Amino acid sequence: MSQRLRRPFTIALPIITSLALAAGAVSAVAQDPAPLPTEAAPLNDVAVEQPARGLIVKLDDAADAQVSDLTDEVEAELPQDVTVANAQSGSDLGLLSLSEQVDAADLDDAIEQLEANPDVEWAVPNGVRMPSATASDIYYRQGYQWNLNGQWGVRANQAWDITTGSPNVRVAVIDTGILGSHPDLRGRYVAGRDFVDDEYRCVNRACTRIKYRRTFVSANDRNSWDGSPADPGDWRNGGTCAQMGASQSTWHGTHVAGIVAATRNNGGVVGIAPGVKVQPIRALGRCGGTDWDIAMGILWASGANVNKYDRRHGRIPLNRTPAKVINLSLGASANSIRQARQACRLYGSVARTARARGSILIAAAGNAGIDHRYNVPSSCPGFVSVAATMKTGARASFSNYGAGIDIAAPGGSGYGSAEDQILSTWNAGTTRPGTNAWGFMPGTSMAAPAVAAAAALGQSVGITNPDVLERVLKATARRSNCDTNGCGAGIVDAYGVLTARAPTSAPRISGSPRPGGTLSATTGSWRNRASVGLAWYRGSRVVGTGASYRPTRADIGRRLVVRATAANGNRNIFHQSSIVVKSKSRTVLVMPKRVKKSKRVRVRVKVTAPYVRATGVIRVFDGRKRIAVKKLKAKNRGSVRITLPKLKKGKHRIRVVYSGSGKVTASKRIKVVRSR
């Protein structure tokens, strides 16, 4: 993938005399700006080849095979002279690394072969993602943080009257790493990790044996995954990375981190949520970042156990300070929507895991100025996709648009004066870290952390559920002259998030979830004096209102949802809980109290339930030992006969356990018998 980056306008720290950003003014030594390009160069270009460095394979839950067992069938479908160089097997997710980088389209045959295997749920290329920022030529002049409190900024200064954020809230910035020595970022972060991997070479001609080079070309820090997310610089020469041109270091992660949480009132720039902490996670090196490394970074950020998926890098310690907001200012455009959906199999799976752990994922929508559905990972399920807007509130010309755009935030125009871009923490070093500085950049990379910071402020006041937080972000967004196609719900409003009547806990359901019983629900806790009502749903249909509901026969096997909504608030902001209604089963065991040890005993098990026929599995135990299993089918009409093995002389505690089904509750029956 080609990458065209221009150096951002910078302000070196020694030049700055004072900043009063809480009030919105920046004082600096001003100089005439250098001319800017008429249009920002897109970082993601849909017309280029999509590099892939391997295949990520998801095994079926019932599979006995390991990912490494699939090597031979994959190699038979690879391009000529390309082999599987390494197989990394996890519990259900694994990685097949290739002997060389290929175009993702060249892996179609291998993927088709894999997905024909019953042990494989899906397979996708291990693609490469890049930072989602554009940048202007170098120049110096006075800057202004219009993205915080301008007409179409995020209204941060008003939000700060309520909270600047809690230090117990962490925002993971999955990016190029961070320069923690920057004055505006000192003390603003918690421990993170580095997930940029090493390169490898083939030891023999067939590449059945590999050796990691220990050159760390992309990592640029002399090691592979480790505990240091420091940014060593992502500069490169023309031949450093395949399909990528020369570039100076971008300090992209540092710029993103400053937008989130740069220190307030210390003479530098200020972040939108200056009270929260950043967790830097390095997943982008000089040659970008692979989907596998990015995915592992997401999982680690959420507190998941990465060792379950990746064992090559030694034991990775659990994240003891998980991030409830994860920002991804990165991505790449697929060559087709089919290819994008293919990559979303991995990212959608990872997002489900992270969101189940309480983390909301914010992703840049991309800078190619094209249909957003091509962009990965922002177009994938579970990610909040963020478009970029200009000072005027209009969509930036470089910002992707269309189906799947969730929300927008200030990202700059990419042309005009520096003040039309986003000012944040930066560094003046062209390769290695040099003088700490401030710089202007435009891009959806700059828009995404604005939404992440607003989400962190919401987390700080107790809006912690990812689904609810996403609803609040969208419901409180302000509509500018950018329509739904370009900006989704509108421009994020940090003040609106904090003043919304929003839930901080879910309704709690109690009672009997079966026909004839009664269910009761609380409204949960809410902010800002909300007057909350409850409604009961079966699917999309409202079947009741109020604090209680009596399930009917029509509810059997269905999931009932109780939804709490503020009558004096936005109807799109709600919290809900659910429960499945089942018919209560009763299990009967017909068996003599005395049996002969020399004979096998035939017993009868009957399971009954009102309104429905019981189906499922019946297991018979002698004490703790399972001695028989039988499937109960609808045609059995709830009754089966089971032949037990011979019972040794003495007293036996026979326990019959019925598993239950989607419509019937589980039940059991115990009988004590004597064998003689």
Side-chain angles (χ1 to χ4, degrees):
M1 174 183 295
S2 64
Q3 180 187 24
R4 300 188 298 277
L5 284 174
R6 299 183 179 90
R7 297 283 286 173
F9 167 74
T10 63
I11 307 174
L13 288 174
I15 297 176
I16 296 300
T17 56
S18 67
L19 287 173
L21 295 180
V26 181
S27 299
V29 176
Q31 296 183 11
D32 291 332
L36 288 169
T38 56
E39 184 175 358
L43 189 101
N44 298 335
D45 186 344
V46 75
V48 300
E49 289 185 346
Q50 300 301 304
R53 299 177 188 168
L55 284 160
I56 298 170
V57 183
K58 171 69 167 64
L59 295 175
D60 186 85
D61 292 339
D64 294 327
Q66 295 274 324
V67 170
S68 55
D69 298 334
L70 305 172
T71 299
D72 290 342
E73 61 185 279
V74 168
E75 286 190 331
E77 303 296 336
L78 291 176
Q80 188 175 5
D81 298 328
V82 178
T83 61
V84 174
N86 189 46
Q88 172 66 50
S89 293
S91 57
D92 62 346
L93 198 65
L95 175 65
L96 296 172
S97 297
L98 302 182
S99 57
E100 61 184 83
Q101 183 170 292
V102 299
D103 183 5
D106 291 337
L107 299 178
D108 287 349
D109 290 343
I111 290 171
E112 184 178 353
Q113 179 70 21
L114 281 171
E115 293 184 345
N117 187 323
D119 286 334
V120 175
E121 184 175 330
W122 51 256
V124 299
N126 185 23
V128 178
R129 310 293 154 191
M130 300 298 294
S132 291
T134 57
S136 69
D137 295 315
I138 300 174
Y139 70 109
Y140 290 87
R141 62 163 293 171
Q142 181 176 337
Y144 182 68
Q145 285 189 284
W146 60 270
N147 57 314
L148 272 65
N149 56 6
Q151 180 184 2
W152 293 110
V154 302
R155 298 210 289 176
N157 53 334
Q158 291 170 272
W160 295 335
D161 290 337
I162 300 171
T163 182
T164 58
S166 167
N168 294 322
V169 173
R170 275 84 60 176
V171 178
V173 173
I174 300 181
D175 216 290
T176 63
I178 193 173
L179 294 174
S181 64
H182 197 291
D184 276 329
L185 294 176
R186 287 192 197 124
R188 306 302 325 132
Y189 59 94
V190 296
R193 281 199 73 81
D194 176 6
F195 284 92
V196 182
D197 209 350
D198 186 19
E199 298 78 30
Y200 54 81
R201 64 180 177 85
C202 298
V203 174
N204 56 8
R205 186 171 182 179
C207 205
T208 55
R209 292 174 54 229
I210 66 166
K211 183 176 182 180
Y212 281 83
R213 293 179 181 274
R214 303 194 66 79
T215 52
F216 311 105
V217 171
S218 185
N220 197 30
D221 62 356
R222 299 183 180 180
N223 55 45
S224 184
W225 291 13
D226 61 43
S228 173
D231 188 349
D234 58 352
W235 65 275
R236 58 180 178 267
N237 296 320
T240 302
C241 306
Q243 302 176 353
M244 297 180 186
S247 171
Q248 295 177 339
S249 290
T250 64
W251 314 115
H252 189 270
T254 295
H255 198 272
V256 170
I259 294 171
V260 175
T263 302
R264 185 185 182 203
N265 294 334
N266 73 328
V269 295
V270 59
I272 294 167
V276 307
K277 295 294 182 74
V278 167
Q279 184 165 70
I281 296 175
R282 187 170 179 252
L284 302 178
R286 295 201 287 180
C287 304
T290 67
D291 289 333
W292 182 262
D293 291 351
I294 294 166
M296 294 303 109
I298 293 171
L299 291 171
W300 188 84
S302 72
N305 183 7
V306 173
N307 299 290
K308 176 181 175 182
Y309 308 99
D310 191 299
R311 299 186 181 97
R312 192 188 74 80
H313 296 87
R315 183 155 188 83
I316 307 299
L318 287 173
N319 182 1
R320 299 300 179 186
T321 54
K324 296 306 179 185
V325 182
I326 300 175
N327 185 84
L328 297 108
S329 290
L330 52 83
S333 299
N335 279 326
S336 67
I337 292 175
R338 182 193 67 81
Q339 191 181 74
R341 288 174 178 168
Q342 189 179 55
C344 284
R345 290 177 171 181
L346 168 67
Y347 282 106
S349 176
V350 167
R352 282 193 299 275
T353 299
R355 287 183 74 125
R357 300 186 65 85
S359 300
I360 187 170
L361 284 72
I362 313 296
N367 303 320
I370 61 170
D371 186 336
H372 169 250
R373 291 178 297 170
Y374 287 89
N375 198 67
V376 177
S378 65
S379 66
C380 301
F383 291 81
V384 179
S385 61
V386 185
T389 54
M390 303 184 292
K391 260 187 179 181
T392 61
R395 178 181 68 88
S397 61
F398 56 77
S399 179
N400 288 346
Y401 56 85
I405 295 293
D406 290 308
I407 199 167
S413 64
Y415 57 85
S417 68
E419 290 182 358
D420 293 329
Q421 302 177 22
I422 306 301
L423 176 65
S424 185
T425 45
W426 201 68
N427 191 275
T430 57
T431 55
R432 297 179 178 84
T435 304
N436 287 314
W438 298 315
F440 284 89
M441 289 185 184
T444 54
S445 273
M446 286 62 253
V451 176
L457 293 178
Q459 282 269 354
S460 298
V461 296
I463 310 172
T464 56
N465 180 277
D467 295 334
V468 173
L469 188 51
E470 181 174 347
R471 292 182 198 122
V472 173
L473 288 168
K474 292 178 180 179
T476 58
R478 294 190 295 154
R479 178 62 63 197
S480 64
N481 57 347
C482 182
D483 61 15
T484 303
N485 187 60
C487 292
I491 298 174
V492 70
D493 182 354
Y495 178 68
V497 169
L498 298 179
T499 55
R501 292 181 171 92
T504 56
S505 67
R508 190 166 57 186
I509 301 174
S510 59
S512 178
R514 63 176 185 267
T518 300
L519 294 173
S520 299
T522 65
T523 59
S525 301
W526 285 67
R527 285 178 49 77
N528 299 318
R529 299 182 180 180
S531 176
V532 183
L534 296 172
W536 298 81
Y537 288 79
R538 183 197 306 134
S540 59
R541 180 185 173 190
V542 177
V543 293
T545 57
S548 63
Y549 175 75
R550 292 179 64 84
T552 68
R553 182 175 179 178
D555 296 317
I556 295 175
R558 303 292 296 275
R559 183 171 293 276
L560 281 177
V561 173
V562 62
R563 179 176 297 178
T565 310
N568 58 345
N570 190 307
R571 302 296 294 178
N572 292 322
I573 297 176
F574 58 87
H575 209 337
Q576 60 189 30
S577 297
S578 65
I579 194 167
V580 176
V581 176
K582 295 185 178 184
S583 182
K584 186 177 181 181
S585 71
R586 179 174 178 267
T587 296
V588 175
L589 170 63
V590 180
M591 180 180 183
K593 292 183 179 180
R594 291 180 174 80
V595 299
K596 292 183 178 180
K597 67 176 184 178
S598 60
K599 292 186 178 180
R600 300 181 68 182
V601 182
R602 199 174 189 202
V603 302
R604 179 169 171 258
V605 178
K606 183 165 185 168
V607 182
T608 58
Y611 309 117
V612 293
R613 289 182 182 177
T615 59
V617 179
I618 293 172
R619 295 176 175 86
V620 184
F621 296 83
D622 181 1
R624 293 185 178 181
K625 181 182 178 182
R626 190 177 70 186
I627 57 175
V629 178
K630 187 85 171 184
K631 282 188 177 181
L632 183 62
K633 302 177 181 179
K635 67 180 182 180
N636 298 132
R637 298 178 179 273
S639 180
V640 294
R641 294 188 180 275
I642 304 173
T643 301
L644 303 182
K646 295 176 183 179
L647 301 177
K648 293 181 180 180
K649 184 178 179 180
K651 186 167 68 173
H652 295 263
R653 188 171 181 265
I654 304 300
R655 179 166 50 100
V656 176
V657 178
Y658 164 60
S659 66
S661 69
K663 294 184 177 182
V664 182
T665 63
S667 58
K668 64 182 179 181
R669 178 67 65 182
I670 298 173
K671 191 167 187 177
V672 177
V673 300
R674 290 185 178 275
S675 177
R676 56 183 180 177

